Amino acid sequence: MGKKVLIVGGVAGGASTAARLRRMDEDAEIIIFERGEYISFANCGLPYYIGGTITERRMLLVQTPERMKSMFNIDVRTQNEVIKIKREEKRIVVKDLKSGKIYEENYDVLVLSPGAEPIKPDIKGIDAKNIFTLRNMNNVDAIKEYIENNSPKRAAVVGAGYIGLEMVENLYNLGMEVSIIEKSNQVLNTIDYDMAAIVHEYLISKKIPLYLGDGVKEFNHSENETEILLESGRKLKADIVIIAIGVRPDIAFIKDSGIELGSRGGIKVDSYLRTSDPDIYAVGDAIEVEDFITKDAAIIPLAGPANKQGRIAADNIVGKKVKYKGTQGTAIAKIFDLTVGCTGNNEKVLEAKGIKHLSTVTITNSHAGYYPGALPMTVKLIYSPEGDIYGCQIVGFKGVDKRIDVVAASIRFNKKVFDLTELELAYAPPYSSAKDPVNMAGYVASNVLEGNMDVAHWYDIEQADLDKTIILDVTEPYERSFGFIQGSVNIPLGEIRERFEELPRDKEIIISCQVGLRAYIASKILKQKGFKNVRVLTGGFRHYRTVMKSKNTLPIWYS
Amino acid sequence: MGKKVLIVGGVAGGASTAARLRRMDEDAEIIIFERGEYISFANCGLPYYIGGTITERRMLLVQTPERMKSMFNIDVRTQNEVIKIKREEKRIVVKDLKSGKIYEENYDVLVLSPGAEPIKPDIKGIDAKNIFTLRNMNNVDAIKEYIENNSPKRAAVVGAGYIGLEMVENLYNLGMEVSIIEKSNQVLNTIDYDMAAIVHEYLISKKIPLYLGDGVKEFNHSENETEILLESGRKLKADIVIIAIGVRPDIAFIKDSGIELGSRGGIKVDSYLRTSDPDIYAVGDAIEVEDFITKDAAIIPLAGPANKQGRIAADNIVGKKVKYKGTQGTAIAKIFDLTVGCTGNNEKVLEAKGIKHLSTVTITNSHAGYYPGALPMTVKLIYSPEGDIYGCQIVGFKGVDKRIDVVAASIRFNKKVFDLTELELAYAPPYSSAKDPVNMAGYVASNVLEGNMDVAHWYDIEQADLDKTIILDVTEPYERSFGFIQGSVNIPLGEIRERFEELPRDKEIIISCQVGLRAYIASKILKQKGFKNVRVLTGGFRHYRTVMKSKNTLPIWYS
């Protein structure tokens, strides 16, 4: 008889641990304890089942206890809740939720994969039957049932993170009017404001009310509807409310166990995913990982890392020495037709930590512009003065997932922005351009770091003193009829070589064009003509206009 | 006045050199000599204009001499052919094709970017007016005009490389019956036979006749049609023929210049893209590059590398020291709905060079299976016994471009198959799975190299002696009604633990399932039960069946 391994939690991390462990050790006794009714369900798919994109409930049930038994010879005990860990005796206390019976089980190795639970703040009226959080099959069933029985017309989603926005899309697709309430001044806190502004513009174009920088004070229920009173005093009405303001490690059951927690409140593990007790491993959303960029402790609840951690924990249990090397927070969301991807740290995080960084924005086509269907994407690359890639955010309609993955790989391999220029990526007109958007982002960042270009950002324009700064627009006059920066001077690129003497040499010049390419060429001309203080508006007028539109419309928008 | 830089050729490499050079040096005198009428046209887009996907001819003209002048102050001389280089005098001899006038121009630096010309073999009847090659706007105009005036019904494409297959798709989309004639026994020689078999199966499903392993002996023209006599003696008829059997450096004009050529017949350059003459650089399809994997000299005509080389040459001309680090041959093709991507070396190349390598095949969904629209892709990863990634080939309907780019980046960064398992790629159900196909390919290869799994290939099954080898099929009995390997023994995975004693211990066992996952689990069980000689059929029955279908149907197929 082999080792006896008990696993607490049968979803992503726990199920991965169990499957890999069995492959590596046919003799181990493996028992999974899962509080819920289901193991290994598709929790990332839940919003899409609610919205009807995923039509069959059974599609969400990726793995069953029966198959775990037949394929892996694993004893899966659903509706069995681990309520206590007796470390000294190497035993756990389990409650069978069906019978109410409490029993104990001993272990050689224990693996904790309890996951995270949605935060549900203590707000008046939050426990009403039309207010939901979303974590598991029970929640989904309850939401589906409520919608079927009550046909809600108006929905409010509190929290504009990934799950929140996925719920917005799915409730909208069911025909509801959906409002978004978010405490921060932007959606998707994993990206920066200027990139979130693209999402804001898009949501506004879909006539989805946005209440940013505002929280819920109380829910007041009448017979037919719920009135949501916001902290600002504003009120809105809804028939159904989804609370998606975040999650926290679901670890009440380890409270008295003596297992150490980290500074952020998650289970502390070493790089082998071992807790402070060498016989206990922990994986998934409940643990603190090392932020791959800053090396600080962080809680980053994501399915990809949880699955990888499960596999690594299993390898370590069978005596391999495999390290988990940190989480970089690569994430992606579909928001209707829009895709938002990010990896690494954003500028807000870096600023809060006092880490010096630069950023540039490029807007490039998803594939060759002459092949039909090319759509622009906005790429923000964030890097150290030495060129180390700190993070990347991409928003667009097509090909975003590909580029964020290439940058994510580059970050994982500790590469610099210069290295992005050397990537030989697959090019044919339906897929990319001869210089891929990732190459282009690398070129622009390299130009900055090599001293070929100084950049200005949208806020530099916003804050510019026009007595000291000339904003030079090098687009063609006809382009200005579609909009331009107020106060800018227009000299088309083609005329710069003849007309540069019109520009004052004692002022700073910030050059803008649509996306930044022509401005860069103009800046090279002016610098070589002896102008000292020349910057290029990164992302060009297009990015600036989007940010300004967001700033001028929000925090509160409704039609 | 700055340096005088002459550039021969105004398409990908030449135009890139010129644009970057101007940005870096406002004072240089830059002249581009282009034999054709156009510069910087979208040569990768030409098939799609013929097929009507790109509707406007002007879309192909990415850059014009006028814009090169106004944006970059570059003197572009189209229809000016450089016919001779006088290196000792640092002069070139140019023929103005419009006036017929011959003149000379001196240079400080010369850049050669003449590109490659289609190979048109000396075959009887090949110069007829309905037989075309495809390189430039003139060819495209001629093909378009021929099609419009003659409404050909039957087309033959000779050569099944990227351009050949793109032409097949585009002529097919115009309503023609298209036949493919290819000297090799497979399409797309940059990938291996087993992967090309997926393309064969697909083309056959579209009822496109394939004449593989056969070449054209002669074209016999009658008034209304062309009869193509193949080397095998077979005959087929066509109204229009496209010859796309490959390209070679278009460098007749440097013949007497003393500029050194390499072993493969391309212009020899050092890592700074300088020819044997230090004042002459060369870039693009006419040069020999270093194969990034083997470090051997190679001619790899691709647009991405040409553009990057142009930029690097410009940087070196202005005194930076930038190295071109070789070409890995990342390429991609859309073949109707199918995408074929590859990067690095294939097994044929590695075998020919005597480089020891391993390969594994994984078949994984483009995104989470429970989210609608997921489609399988076949990933072949090729690597050294130490895990260095030598190459990757992917064929599928969705998400192929993303995965080939991630692997291409990993190769460029000299990473190993183990590193692919650590990639934290963007996951949400519409985009990927928690373990991305690239992770999965890495896991499988790692399992092989770490001794967790031994693999068999399709040809091991083909060659198996059933007296010495058991082929164990671990799928469910109902799955066998859709096909199975002849002679295989069926024990479903769920019964292996009870029934393994039925298997002989003195024979080799090759285990198969649909794609390889269950077979792997079964192999782990059998090995831990003491079976010594157990292998897993990589890619499973699905890959095996596709290869066999190709082998049994081809080399010649027509309906």
Side-chain angles (χ1 to χ4, degrees):
Chain A
M1 198 64 195
K3 269 181 201 161
K4 185 169 175 183
V5 181
L6 307 186
I7 299 173
V8 185
V11 191
S16 281
T17 306
R20 173 72 171 177
L21 186 60
R22 171 58 72 224
R23 290 195 296 269
M24 304 310 286
D25 184 356
E26 183 62 19
D27 296 327
E29 184 183 355
I30 306 172
I31 311 174
I32 293 177
F33 300 87
E34 167 56 45
R35 187 174 53 186
E37 280 177 69
Y38 305 97
I39 57 158
S40 216
F41 61 89
N43 41 12
C44 301
L46 303 183
Y48 299 99
Y49 174 60
I50 294 170
T53 298
I54 298 171
T55 51
E56 303 280 336
R57 185 175 183 279
R58 66 177 171 78
M59 294 294 285
L60 298 173
L61 304 172
V62 176
Q63 189 56 284
T64 61
E66 294 69 36
R67 285 191 74 217
M68 284 297 263
K69 183 72 194 170
S70 78
M71 279 178 82
F72 294 111
N73 189 27
I74 289 168
D75 178 3
V76 179
R77 302 184 190 170
T78 54
Q79 294 181 276
N80 273 250
E81 181 174 8
V82 177
I83 53 176
K84 196 177 167 65
I85 301 169
K86 297 181 172 177
R87 289 199 300 121
E88 326 69 46
E89 305 165 41
K90 299 185 81 170
R91 300 176 76 79
I92 58 171
V93 183
V94 185
K95 182 174 183 181
D96 181 333
L97 300 177
K98 289 158 290 184
S99 65
K101 212 185 80 178
I102 287 171
Y103 66 100
E104 297 195 9
E105 199 75 55
N106 71 306
Y107 62 81
D108 296 312
V109 177
L110 179 64
V111 181
L112 307 177
S113 180
E117 58 181 347
I119 296 169
K120 206 171 172 185
D122 188 20
I123 291 173
K124 183 192 153 198
I126 200 168
D127 289 321
K129 63 180 191 350
N130 64 340
I131 300 184
F132 301 90
T133 56
L134 184 61
R135 181 189 188 183
N136 56 30
M137 293 300 293
N138 288 344
N139 304 141
V140 156
D141 291 338
I143 294 171
K144 286 281 267 190
E145 196 191 334
Y146 186 84
I147 292 173
E148 267 159 41
N149 292 341
N150 299 279
S151 305
K153 300 274 174 293
R154 296 162 300 180
V157 174
V158 184
Y162 292 97
I163 297 172
L165 291 187
E166 285 170 355
M167 281 306 299
V168 168
E169 173 180 350
N170 279 287
L171 296 176
Y172 181 100
N173 287 344
L174 288 175
M176 296 185 210
E177 287 172 27
V178 190
S179 298
I180 299 172
I181 301 161
E182 164 62 50
K183 192 93 182 184
S184 160
N185 70 337
Q186 63 165 88
V187 302
L188 295 171
N189 258 311
T190 55
I191 61 175
D192 290 312
Y193 185 86
D194 60 323
M195 298 300 285
I198 307 169
V199 185
H200 296 163
E201 188 174 13
Y202 178 76
L203 290 171
I204 289 170
S205 78
K206 291 199 85 82
K207 304 209 177 299
I208 293 173
L210 279 170
Y211 296 82
L212 301 184
D214 211 346
V216 176
K217 192 163 183 218
E218 54 188 52
F219 295 101
N220 293 304
H221 305 284
S222 64
E223 202 178 328
N224 296 317
E225 64 187 20
T226 295
E227 185 186 76
I228 305 171
L229 174 62
L230 300 183
E231 287 165 354
S232 63
R234 284 187 181 78
K235 291 175 183 174
L236 67 151
K237 289 175 177 177
D239 307 312
I240 184 171
V241 178
I242 306 290
I243 308 284
I245 59 174
V247 298
R248 69 183 146 218
D250 191 359
I251 50 176
F253 72 103
I254 70 162
K255 204 172 55 172
D256 303 320
S257 69
I259 294 170
E260 241 179 88
L261 300 188
S263 57
R264 328 264 310 175
I267 301 172
K268 192 171 176 176
V269 294
D270 65 13
S271 54
Y272 301 99
L273 301 173
R274 205 182 278 246
T275 67
S276 56
D277 181 328
D279 295 317
I280 304 179
Y281 291 80
V283 300
D285 294 357
I287 70 168
E288 288 191 8
V289 294
E290 191 179 85
D291 178 307
F292 187 78
I293 308 289
T294 63
K295 310 300 173 198
D296 294 333
I299 297 180
I300 305 177
L302 287 167
N307 276 277
K308 291 188 178 75
Q309 290 158 16
R311 190 183 164 97
I312 289 173
D315 279 348
N316 287 321
I317 290 168
V318 298
K320 294 176 141 205
K321 284 267 176 195
V322 182
K323 283 191 180 185
Y324 182 69
K325 296 177 187 165
T327 302
Q328 65 197 75
T330 308
I332 195 162
K334 173 181 171 324
I335 302 167
F336 299 92
D337 300 325
L338 202 63
T339 299
V340 179
C342 66
T343 184
N345 284 176
N346 59 43
E347 290 197 282
K348 291 174 296 187
V349 167
L350 294 168
E351 268 150 39
K353 295 193 174 183
I355 297 171
K356 207 176 162 199
H357 62 277
L358 297 89
S359 76
T360 33
V361 172
T362 44
I363 300 180
T364 31
N365 269 330
S366 53
H367 61 250
Y370 56 78
Y371 189 90
L375 291 168
M377 71 180 81
T378 305
V379 181
K380 178 174 185 173
L381 194 62
I382 305 166
Y383 42 95
S384 78
E386 294 73 38
D388 302 285
I389 310 170
Y390 282 156
C392 183
Q393 301 160 33
I394 311 183
V395 183
F397 291 92
K398 231 176 168 179
V400 169
D401 58 332
K402 173 161 75 172
R403 279 60 183 221
I404 207 72
D405 275 1
V406 171
V407 179
S410 305
I411 289 178
R412 181 59 54 166
F413 295 151
N414 296 302
K415 292 293 157 181
K416 293 179 186 266
V417 294
F418 317 110
D419 299 307
L420 299 182
T421 68
E422 294 180 1
L423 287 174
E424 189 186 321
L425 303 171
Y427 165 56
Y431 304 98
S432 185
S433 300
K435 286 170 182 157
D436 187 83
V438 174
N439 295 138
M440 292 305 297
Y443 281 132
V444 169
S446 299
N447 277 332
V448 169
L449 294 181
E450 289 169 359
N452 292 322
M453 172 165 65
D454 294 311
V455 290
H457 298 270
W458 61 269
Y459 46 82
D460 294 315
I461 300 287
E462 197 187 24
Q463 296 158 7
D465 174 352
L466 292 185
D467 289 337
K468 294 179 186 151
T469 301
I470 296 277
I471 297 166
L472 171 63
D473 174 1
V474 296
T475 63
E476 299 299 313
Y478 80 87
E479 295 175 80
R480 286 171 68 88
S481 62
F482 304 108
F484 57 88
I485 299 171
Q486 291 304 317
S488 61
V489 173
N490 182 224
I491 304 179
L493 175 60
E495 299 174 19
I496 288 283
R497 287 186 181 86
E498 286 76 51
R499 295 177 55 189
F500 68 88
E501 294 292 9
E502 295 174 23
L503 296 165
R505 288 180 180 266
D506 57 340
K507 289 188 180 179
E508 178 192 44
I509 300 175
I510 298 178
I511 313 180
S512 107
C513 62
Q514 285 300 337
V515 298
L517 176 61
R518 284 174 288 173
Y520 166 50
I521 298 169
S523 83
K524 293 299 294 183
I525 297 171
L526 291 184
K527 281 189 172 182
Q528 293 182 64
K529 299 294 184 194
F531 288 79
K532 296 273 175 274
N533 201 345
V534 180
R535 288 195 286 168
V536 171
L537 176 61
T538 193
F541 175 63
R542 210 186 287 184
H543 195 56
Y544 168 81
R545 183 181 52 187
T546 298
V547 179
M548 285 301 125
K549 201 182 269 182
S550 175
K551 290 202 75 175
N552 294 334
T553 315
L554 297 170
I556 308 295
W557 180 90
Y558 44 87
S559 61
Chain B
M1 199 62 194
K3 268 181 201 162
K4 184 169 175 182
V5 181
L6 306 186
I7 300 172
V8 184
V11 192
S16 281
T17 307
R20 174 71 172 176
L21 186 59
R22 171 57 74 224
R23 291 196 296 270
M24 304 311 286
D25 184 358
E26 183 61 20
D27 296 327
E29 184 184 356
I30 306 172
I31 310 174
I32 293 178
F33 299 87
E34 167 57 45
R35 186 174 53 186
E37 281 176 69
Y38 305 97
I39 56 158
S40 217
F41 61 89
N43 41 11
C44 301
L46 302 182
Y48 299 100
Y49 173 61
I50 293 170
T53 297
I54 297 171
T55 51
E56 303 280 335
R57 184 176 184 278
R58 64 177 172 78
M59 294 295 286
L60 298 173
L61 304 173
V62 176
Q63 189 56 282
T64 63
E66 294 69 34
R67 286 191 75 217
M68 283 299 264
K69 183 72 194 172
S70 79
M71 279 180 82
F72 294 110
N73 190 27
I74 288 168
D75 178 2
V76 179
R77 301 185 191 169
T78 54
Q79 292 180 276
N80 273 249
E81 180 174 9
V82 177
I83 54 178
K84 195 177 166 70
I85 301 170
K86 297 182 172 177
R87 288 199 300 121
E88 326 69 45
E89 304 164 43
K90 297 183 83 168
R91 300 175 77 81
I92 58 171
V93 183
V94 185
K95 181 174 184 180
D96 182 332
L97 300 177
K98 289 159 292 184
S99 65
K101 213 184 83 178
I102 287 171
Y103 65 101
E104 297 194 8
E105 198 76 55
N106 71 306
Y107 63 80
D108 296 311
V109 175
L110 179 64
V111 180
L112 306 177
S113 180
E117 59 182 345
I119 296 169
K120 204 170 171 184
D122 187 20
I123 292 173
K124 183 191 153 199
I126 200 169
D127 288 321
K129 63 183 189 348
N130 65 339
I131 300 184
F132 301 90
T133 56
L134 184 61
R135 180 191 187 182
N136 56 29
M137 293 300 294
N138 288 345
N139 304 141
V140 156
D141 291 339
I143 294 171
K144 284 282 267 191
E145 195 191 335
Y146 187 86
I147 292 173
E148 267 159 42
N149 293 342
N150 300 279
S151 305
K153 300 275 175 293
R154 297 160 300 180
V157 174
V158 184
Y162 292 99
I163 295 171
L165 290 188
E166 285 171 355
M167 281 307 300
V168 169
E169 173 180 351
N170 278 288
L171 295 176
Y172 182 100
N173 286 344
L174 288 175
M176 296 184 210
E177 288 172 26
V178 191
S179 297
I180 298 172
I181 301 162
E182 163 63 49
K183 193 92 183 186
S184 161
N185 70 337
Q186 62 164 88
V187 301
L188 294 172
N189 259 313
T190 55
I191 61 175
D192 290 313
Y193 184 86
D194 59 325
M195 298 300 284
I198 307 169
V199 184
H200 297 164
E201 188 174 14
Y202 179 75
L203 290 171
I204 289 170
S205 78
K206 292 198 83 82
K207 304 210 177 297
I208 293 174
L210 279 170
Y211 296 83
L212 302 183
D214 212 347
V216 177
K217 190 162 183 217
E218 54 188 53
F219 295 101
N220 293 304
H221 305 283
S222 64
E223 200 177 332
N224 297 315
E225 64 185 21
T226 295
E227 185 186 75
I228 305 171
L229 175 62
L230 300 182
E231 288 164 353
S232 63
R234 283 187 182 78
K235 292 173 182 175
L236 67 152
K237 289 175 177 177
D239 306 311
I240 185 170
V241 178
I242 306 290
I243 308 285
I245 60 174
V247 297
R248 68 181 146 220
D250 191 359
I251 50 175
F253 72 104
I254 70 162
K255 205 174 52 172
D256 302 321
S257 70
I259 294 170
E260 237 179 272
L261 301 188
S263 57
R264 327 265 309 174
I267 303 172
K268 192 172 177 176
V269 293
D270 66 13
S271 55
Y272 300 100
L273 301 173
R274 204 182 279 244
T275 67
S276 55
D277 181 328
D279 295 316
I280 304 180
Y281 290 79
V283 300
D285 293 358
I287 70 168
E288 287 191 8
V289 294
E290 191 179 84
D291 178 307
F292 187 79
I293 308 288
T294 64
K295 310 302 173 197
D296 294 335
I299 297 180
I300 305 176
L302 287 168
N307 276 276
K308 291 188 180 74
Q309 289 158 14
R311 189 183 164 96
I312 289 172
D315 279 348
N316 287 323
I317 290 169
V318 298
K320 294 176 141 203
K321 283 269 177 195
V322 182
K323 282 191 181 185
Y324 182 70
K325 296 177 187 164
T327 301
Q328 66 197 74
T330 308
I332 194 162
K334 173 181 171 323
I335 302 167
F336 299 92
D337 300 325
L338 201 64
T339 299
V340 179
C342 66
T343 185
N345 284 176
N346 59 42
E347 290 197 281
K348 291 175 296 188
V349 168
L350 294 168
E351 268 151 38
K353 296 195 173 181
I355 297 171
K356 207 177 161 195
H357 62 276
L358 297 89
S359 76
T360 33
V361 173
T362 44
I363 300 179
T364 32
N365 270 329
S366 52
H367 62 249
Y370 56 79
Y371 188 90
L375 290 168
M377 72 179 80
T378 305
V379 181
K380 178 174 185 172
L381 194 62
I382 305 166
Y383 41 95
S384 78
E386 294 74 38
D388 302 286
I389 310 170
Y390 282 157
C392 183
Q393 301 159 34
I394 312 183
V395 183
F397 291 92
K398 231 176 168 177
V400 169
D401 58 332
K402 174 161 75 171
R403 278 62 182 220
I404 207 70
D405 274 1
V406 171
V407 179
S410 304
I411 289 178
R412 181 59 51 166
F413 296 150
N414 296 303
K415 292 293 156 181
K416 293 179 185 263
V417 295
F418 316 111
D419 298 306
L420 300 181
T421 68
E422 293 180 1
L423 286 174
E424 189 186 322
L425 303 171
Y427 165 55
Y431 303 99
S432 185
S433 299
K435 285 169 183 157
D436 187 83
V438 174
N439 295 138
M440 292 305 296
Y443 281 131
V444 169
S446 300
N447 277 332
V448 170
L449 295 181
E450 288 168 357
N452 292 323
M453 173 166 65
D454 295 312
V455 290
H457 299 271
W458 62 269
Y459 47 82
D460 294 315
I461 300 286
E462 197 187 25
Q463 296 158 8
D465 174 353
L466 292 185
D467 288 338
K468 294 179 187 153
T469 301
I470 296 278
I471 297 166
L472 172 63
D473 174 3
V474 296
T475 62
E476 299 299 313
Y478 80 87
E479 295 175 79
R480 286 172 67 88
S481 61
F482 304 107
F484 57 88
I485 299 171
Q486 291 304 317
S488 61
V489 173
N490 182 225
I491 304 179
L493 174 59
E495 298 174 19
I496 288 284
R497 288 185 181 85
E498 286 76 52
R499 295 176 56 188
F500 67 88
E501 295 293 9
E502 295 174 21
L503 296 164
R505 288 180 180 266
D506 57 341
K507 289 188 180 178
E508 177 192 44
I509 300 175
I510 297 178
I511 313 180
S512 103
C513 63
Q514 286 299 339
V515 297
L517 176 61
R518 284 175 289 173
Y520 167 50
I521 298 168
S523 82
K524 293 299 293 183
I525 296 171
L526 291 183
K527 281 190 172 180
Q528 292 181 66
K529 298 295 184 195
F531 287 80
K532 295 271 176 276
N533 201 345
V534 180
R535 288 194 288 168
V536 171
L537 176 61
T538 193
F541 175 63
R542 211 188 284 185
H543 194 58
Y544 168 81
R545 183 181 52 187
T546 297
V547 178
M548 285 301 125
K549 203 182 269 183
S550 174
K551 290 201 74 174
N552 294 334
T553 314
L554 295 170
I556 309 295
W557 181 89
Y558 45 87
S559 61

